[in-house]
Amino acid sequence: GHTAAPPSSSNRGRGRAAGTEEKRESGVVGVTWQRQHEAWAVSCSLGKSGSAQIEFPESNFGKENALQKAIECREEMLRLKGEGWSDPKAMRKKMREVFPLPPRISSAPSSDTRKEQGVREEGEGGRGKVRDDSESQSNERSSKSERKEGDTVSGLAEIDWRESHKSWRVCCTFFPGAGGKLTLSFPESKYGKIGAEKRAKGCKLEMNKM
């Protein structure tokens, strides 16, 4: 009878260690960790019409805040369900109004977090230096030109600055009546401050020839 005790306790310890690495629990029904999106997902069943789902990515809300907001959202969903809400799409829209998605946290205070973000976005860790360079450039240039959401490049129509993504967006309308439109993004994190703008311009000029 004594031999059975040590294995069970060691199994329990091993399961706990594995759990902290592989599975994160919110402690709340309907709030689950989506590892592939690195976000807390909130779902609320609305009967026959299905369930409303919304995600709270840590890259937008921060590690602690994402879970907190997800739990608050779940409570709000249950309250609306009690009031008779039954349309998943309407509830999801309402939740995004109550809990708007903030822009991605790009200038994280700790170097570890920045390193993780670099690996997550590019699949390699050799990007920290580029980011530092572009940051110092942006600090030097910020006094000369402050960018705002929707700013355009050198007067070229359909190229505008997306502050939330820190990237230039290029639009090209092929068939105006039929709504044929192509949109491309050139993030500074990938191409550098000047490179992103240059590529956006070049891309738009190429599109205009098509």
Side-chain angles (χ1 to χ4, degrees), residues 45-78:
S45 174
L46 299 174
K48 290 178 183 175
S49 54
S51 62
Q53 291 187 324
I54 191 168
E55 288 190 349
F56 290 82
E58 287 190 348
S59 59
N60 295 81
F61 288 90
K63 201 160 191 171
E64 313 256 325
N65 203 30
L67 177 56
Q68 181 61 40
K69 291 290 181 191
I71 292 169
E72 287 173 19
C73 177
R74 167 72 178 170
E75 288 168 1
E76 185 66 13
M77 278 177 159
L78 290 174

Side-chain angles (χ1 to χ4, degrees), residues 19 22 78 87 94-95 105 109 115 134 148 169 179 185 191:
E22 292 165 22
L78 290 174
D87 181 357
K94 174 70 174 170
M95 287 303 96
I105 301 164
K115 215 177 290 172
S134 65
K148 297 186 297 296
R169 186 180 66 171
S185 289
Y191 299 107

